[in-house]
Amino acid sequence: MKILAIETSCDETAAAVVEDGRVVHANVVATQIELHRRFGGVFPEVASRQHVLAIQPVIAQALAEAGVSARGVDAIAVTHGPGLAGSLLVGVNAAKGLALAADRPLLPVNHLEGHVYSNWLDAPGRAQGHPDDNFPVVVLIVSGGHTELIEMRGHGCYRRLGGTLDDAAGEAFDKVARLLDLGFPGGPAIQQTAEHGDPGAFELPRALRHAADHRFDFSFSGLKTAMLNLTRRLSREGRDLHDAHLLADLAAAFQQAVADVLVEKTTDAALATNARQVCICGGVSANRALRATAAARLDALGIPLYIPPLIYCTDNAAMIGAAADYRWRNQPWPDGLAIDVHASLPLPEEENTL
Ligand code: KG4
Ligand code: ZN
């Protein structure tokens, strides 16, 4: 099945053509990072207006690169939540118009399920291969808006194990980058600053590490406060917070603290559920420290680990095409014109119906 997929849940306008949930014929992402940089974060009104400008050219480019017309695909898929309502509306309305004009079915996709299925996409030069159909699979979704630990018992069959009690992991990166004056988006800025830093230079908390009642939950607000207190103490001591060595150490220590809790809880979840494989996905899964920490821990346990190539970690439409294929492969297709947007939309927790 060949699917044209559209994704506009946050600040990337994206369209892709994906076949059989794996083969990516085109993957176009128009990022709005430059527009939002001066606000230090995503400005919802600006995001939706930019989606309006970008959506048609992005879709046209994806179809052209894939060498198909809208009538040449079997279905159109679109993210209908979770995300910014105004941004989601642009993608959903464009998809409805196209589905009507081309007389194709329209399939709604949960953005989080998209991140999960980013692991199943073929990618040029991919070293790790794909997860196979050996369940249960423990999935950690770490993005700007979400930090979720999930047990996947089959395709489309999820059980939520835990998640963040406050900030999402990506949000913590973005806020700490702002504190250190490193710019937006925070994740890549912190990673780059941390490159020659010492992760052990400062002692930082690993929240909820031993909390039996929150075994698979995360909390990043304490770490954020610890970073604030640390920078205040350093300035009181007369240290220059713009000094490159000091910044590198601060960024490296913070990044490792986040990576440690994410990996520790994911590993614990994998052991508790007897997982056959582990997947990590979402924007923060692009982080080198997280990738290296996870690879070392899971390798030591002999549990196969999958993390998508960088282009599929952050928001894209190829992952939406993959998720649509798996979710709707054996299900009656919905009435596309009735699709609505949902700012908050959990992963469906249900028995395996696929
Ligand atoms: O998945 P995504 O593109 O959008 C959401 O669905 O939220 O994730 C964006 C988040 C941002 O918070 C960004 O700072 C973070 O992913 N991020 C990173 C890295 N690249 C992006 N965090 C840490 N290290 C990175 N290399
Ligand atoms: Zn995302």
Side-chain angles (χ1 to χ4, degrees):
M1 178 158 77
K2 207 178 260 185
I3 293 180
L4 166 66
I6 296 168
E7 151 67 41
T8 62
S9 68
C10 190
D11 61 336
E12 326 278 3
T13 317
V17 176
V18 180
E19 191 164 357
D20 297 334
R22 284 218 161 151
V23 185
V24 182
H25 293 291
N27 181 43
V28 179
V29 180
T31 178
Q32 303 179 3
I33 282 178
E34 286 311 320
L35 268 181
H36 298 288
R37 205 183 288 283
R38 69 196 150 112
F39 303 112
V42 176
F43 198 112
E45 288 298 310
V46 173
S48 39
R49 250 178 278 150
Q50 186 57 28
H51 283 308
V52 171
L53 296 176
I55 189 77
Q56 295 304 341
V58 164
I59 292 172
Q61 190 183 334
L63 289 170
E65 282 181 17
V68 285
S69 66
R71 281 181 188 275
V73 297
D74 299 292
I76 296 168
V78 66
T79 307
H80 70 136
L84 300 169
S87 291
L88 288 163
L89 267 174
V90 179
V92 166
N93 285 332
K96 282 183 182 176
L98 205 57
L100 257 182
D103 193 22
R104 298 287 94 176
L106 182 56
L107 311 174
V109 175
N110 182 310
H111 181 80
L112 297 174
E113 191 161 40
H115 277 301
V116 170
Y117 277 93
S118 63
N119 273 293
W120 269 262
L121 287 167
D122 276 342
R126 186 178 181 124
Q128 297 162 292
H130 301 282
D132 52 33
D133 289 352
N134 204 5
F135 295 100
V137 176
V138 159
V139 185
L140 173 70
I141 307 175
V142 266
S143 70
H146 299 272
T147 302
E148 300 276 303
L149 199 47
I150 286 146
E151 180 192 4
M152 194 174 170
R153 293 167 166 180
H155 286 296
C157 177
Y158 309 102
R159 183 167 74 101
R160 186 177 188 274
L161 299 172
T164 185
L165 303 179
D166 39 61
D167 291 346
E171 202 178 346
F173 269 96
D174 294 335
K175 287 179 178 171
V176 168
R178 209 174 306 151
L179 172 72
L180 299 178
D181 213 7
L182 298 177
F184 169 84
I190 286 192
Q191 173 170 304
Q192 202 188 352
T193 308
E195 204 156 323
H196 300 293
D198 171 11
F202 301 102
E203 216 165 286
L204 291 168
R206 269 64 172 163
L208 303 180
R209 190 175 227 169
H210 305 295
D213 49 341
H214 288 294
R215 186 174 172 194
F216 300 126
D217 290 324
F218 304 92
S219 166
F220 295 106
S221 67
L223 177 58
K224 202 178 55 189
T225 309
M227 287 298 290
L228 177 65
N229 292 337
L230 175 59
T231 52
R232 282 185 179 154
R233 176 168 68 76
L234 290 168
S235 355
R236 269 201 312 274
E237 290 168 0
R239 304 281 299 272
D240 175 10
L241 287 178
H242 291 99
D243 174 73
H245 291 293
L246 179 58
L247 276 178
D249 284 349
L250 285 166
F254 166 76
Q255 180 175 262
Q256 196 57 50
V258 176
D260 282 348
V261 275
L262 290 175
V263 171
E264 193 168 309
K265 299 221 169 203
T266 304
T267 308
D268 189 20
L271 293 173
T273 58
N274 207 8
R276 305 298 178 84
Q277 308 172 90
V278 169
C279 293
I280 306 184
C281 51
V284 180
S285 68
N287 186 265
R288 229 175 286 143
L290 173 61
R291 295 171 89 99
T293 308
R297 283 294 294 281
L298 289 154
D299 194 44
L301 291 170
I303 303 174
L305 167 70
Y306 299 91
I307 308 180
L310 298 185
I311 45 164
Y312 300 139
C313 289
T314 45
D315 289 349
N316 64 86
M319 67 185 196
I320 302 302
D325 202 302
Y326 279 92
R327 171 144 297 276
W328 295 105
R329 202 172 270 181
N330 302 313
Q331 300 250 43
W333 288 353
D335 171 11
L337 294 185
I339 293 171
D340 210 346
V341 303
H342 306 275
S344 57
L345 184 68
L347 263 183
E349 289 194 68
E350 60 195 2
E351 286 313 304
N352 188 354
T353 51
L354 306 185

